[in-house]
Amino acid sequence: MQNRLTGMLVGAVFGAVFVIVNAPGPLGSVIATVLRVAAGLAAAYAIFLWFSAGRRLRSGAQPPQPPEGGTMFGRGYLLIVAAEAILLFGGLQVLRLMERPVETNVAWVALIVGVHFVALAPVWKEPSILIPGVGLTALGIIGLIMSFTPALAWVPFVSGVLSGVTLLSGSIAYARKGLAALSPTP
């Protein structure tokens, strides 16, 4: 259970980073600042939930039984992460060689991170990560398409900020569900 909640925590932190890095642009500085603060608060809340779960586990709460299938960070996970790293950094190099605008990079990152979640869902036997996975994949594809249009300046918002919001909200929802599932000891 703690491993799964740690995965949620990582997702929340990356979600906050997506928002903080990509909030400027056509939105203006006031809206960008509001988005950054909101992302920071959401990440802080996710951290609070993570610590709350850890405290409940240490106090003897019984975590729900994990699905059959072994460890979270086994061979399947390692293969997916290796493929993700190759696709992510290789794709960024290809975009650079193609002289694509820098805004395209965030769309590529969102696409690969989304596909990473979709691929992990069956490995972890955790269908709930399909929701943010499909969302990030779609936002990445939309951003890549937008990068060929006059809407290029909005790519960081669509593929960056909205992806960050997706990760943050998914992480918080998963953490709340996990915290509620921790039953007190009989």
Side-chain angles (χ1 to χ4, degrees):
M1 177 57 132
Q2 194 66 29
N3 279 345
R4 292 187 187 277
L5 289 173
T6 298
M8 169 283 309
L9 182 63
V10 170
V13 169
F14 276 107
V17 169
F18 259 102
V19 174
I20 291 166
V21 169
N22 294 292
L27 296 174
S29 63
V30 172
I31 295 173
T33 299
V34 169
L35 288 170
R36 287 174 166 161
V37 169
L41 290 172
Y45 182 56
I47 292 167
F48 167 77
L49 292 172
W50 184 79
F51 277 112
S52 295
R55 189 173 35 247
R56 281 196 190 171
L57 287 170
R58 283 189 301 280
S59 70
Q62 296 300 312
Q65 294 303 312
E68 299 296 321
T71 180
M72 226 179 131
F73 301 109
R75 184 175 181 210
Y77 171 81
L78 294 174
L79 290 172
I80 290 168
V81 169
E84 177 187 24
I86 292 166
L87 289 169
L88 182 66
F89 295 111
L92 291 173
Q93 287 297 355
V94 169
L95 291 172
R96 186 183 60 76
L97 292 172
M98 292 174 58
E99 298 180 358
R100 294 300 305 143
V102 71
E103 293 87 350
T104 310
N105 292 350
V106 70
W108 182 253
V109 171
L111 172 66
I112 298 305
V113 171
V115 169
H116 153 261
F117 283 124
V118 170
L120 279 177
V123 170
W124 283 352
K125 295 177 179 33
E126 188 63 60
S128 65
I129 66 172
L130 283 172
I131 296 167
V134 169
L136 265 69
T137 301
L139 291 167
I141 291 169
I142 291 166
L144 287 172
I145 293 168
M146 287 173 62
S147 75
F148 289 94
T149 73
L152 174 66
W154 286 93
V155 171
F157 177 78
V158 170
S159 295
V161 172
L162 295 181
S163 289
V165 169
T166 301
L167 280 171
L168 280 164
S169 58
S171 294
I172 288 170
Y174 184 80
R176 290 176 56 112
K177 177 182 166 190
L179 197 56
L182 291 174
S183 59
T185 38

